[in-house]
Amino acid sequence: MKRVRVLNIEISNLTLQEVLQSLTSGIVFTPNVDHMVRLQHDCEFFNVYNIADYRLCDSQILIYASRFLGKSIQERIAGSDFFPAFCNYHKDNHQIKIFLLGGVNGVAAVAQERINHKLGRNIVVDSYSPSWGFENNEQECQKIIELINSSGATVLAVGVGSPKQEKWIYKYKNKLPSVKIFMAIGTTINFEAGKLKRAPKWMREVGLEWLYRLVLEPKRLWKRYLVDDIPFFWLILKQKLNLYKMPFVQK
């Protein structure tokens, strides 16, 4: 698979169509700037990230960074673009049965209903919106595992925020024998349920989707975008100057 190294992670250098055609099994993560910064100091997250078969570029800023480094990623494939495209691509493939895990207060069920109505079949076979902090509640996690296994799902789409979603997949994937494809899709479930609006297309294309989301959710996102993610640009400059050093060794 074609890949481009940005800092300490190799990002898949594929078009959306290439991913849809080749993805029959495996784990899909969608790196963005926030992920890249976290991967510099969270060793557990780094090791989790390295199990992914597909790391799809979920940020126009990462595209710009790859061009600056001289190895351009050819296409941005945001999770919120990839997931509906995946559903549409497999709308007549009855081997694809999706379980949605994410959202709050039944949002996943709303997304399930809307997706199935749009595609004209029950491609999403079940859904569950977990409680806050569910990842630390082993009883609830076991309940989720039982729901997924009893649903007959072959695809699990987890949208509970990063790094929770990636770490949850890593921890429990071996207890889900029928699931062939695992996806970490962030806020996509909220978009599919109509609970959040995406940025206008022109903002997404020029790399300003973060600004749109910041305006919508300033209390939740201001620190991430205006403080935590700023070191990314310094790290990219260091990589360009061959001064960047890998913070971890993959286990």
Side-chain angles (χ1 to χ4, degrees), residues 79-108:
S80 43
D81 292 321
F82 171 71
F83 180 70
F86 176 88
C87 292
N88 190 63
Y89 185 83
H90 290 287
K91 64 182 179 181
D92 297 319
N93 180 359
H94 290 268
Q95 299 302 310
I96 296 296
K97 304 172 185 178
I98 302 169
F99 189 102
L100 293 181
L101 174 61
V104 296
N105 300 325
V107 165

Side-chain angles (χ1 to χ4, degrees), residues 27-78:
I27 297 172
V28 181
F29 292 165
T30 55
N32 57 31
V33 170
D34 187 63
H35 292 199
M36 299 305 296
V37 173
R38 186 180 297 275
L39 286 162
Q40 307 310 304
H41 58 78
D42 186 337
C43 184
E44 180 189 2
F45 190 43
F46 173 75
N47 287 320
V48 166
Y49 229 86
N50 275 289
I51 68 167
D53 302 283
Y54 294 80
R55 303 184 196 106
L56 309 180
C57 179
D58 190 7
S59 169
Q60 188 62 38
I61 293 173
L62 277 183
I63 300 281
Y64 295 147
S66 71
R67 291 174 184 169
F68 178 70
L69 294 171
K71 299 179 179 180
S72 181
I73 298 169
Q74 57 185 318
E75 185 176 340
R76 180 193 179 208
I77 310 174

Side-chain angles (χ1 to χ4, degrees), residues 194-210:
K195 301 300 181 183
L196 278 178
K197 289 183 63 177
R198 289 200 70 190
K201 185 177 180 181
W202 72 266
M203 294 188 80
R204 302 199 301 267
E205 289 177 345
V206 300
L208 289 176
E209 187 166 14
W210 67 270

Side-chain angles (χ1 to χ4, degrees), residues 121-167:
R121 84 167 176 97
N122 292 334
I123 189 170
V124 180
V125 292
D126 204 354
S127 58
Y128 182 76
S129 292
S131 66
W132 180 259
F134 80 100
E135 71 279 8
N136 299 315
N137 183 336
E138 190 59 29
Q139 185 176 356
E140 185 170 9
C141 288
Q142 290 304 317
K143 173 185 174 181
I144 294 168
I145 289 167
E146 291 171 9
L147 286 172
I148 296 168
N149 285 333
S150 63
S151 74
T154 58
V155 178
L156 174 61
V158 185
V160 295
S162 184
K164 283 194 295 186
Q165 57 195 12
E166 292 85 6
K167 291 181 178 182

Side-chain angles (χ1 to χ4, degrees), residues 7-8 39-40 235 238-239 241-247:
L7 302 180
N8 56 343
L39 286 162
Q40 307 310 304
L235 291 167
K238 288 176 72 173
Q239 183 175 348
L241 299 174
N242 295 317
L243 299 174
Y244 174 75
K245 295 182 179 179
M246 297 274 284

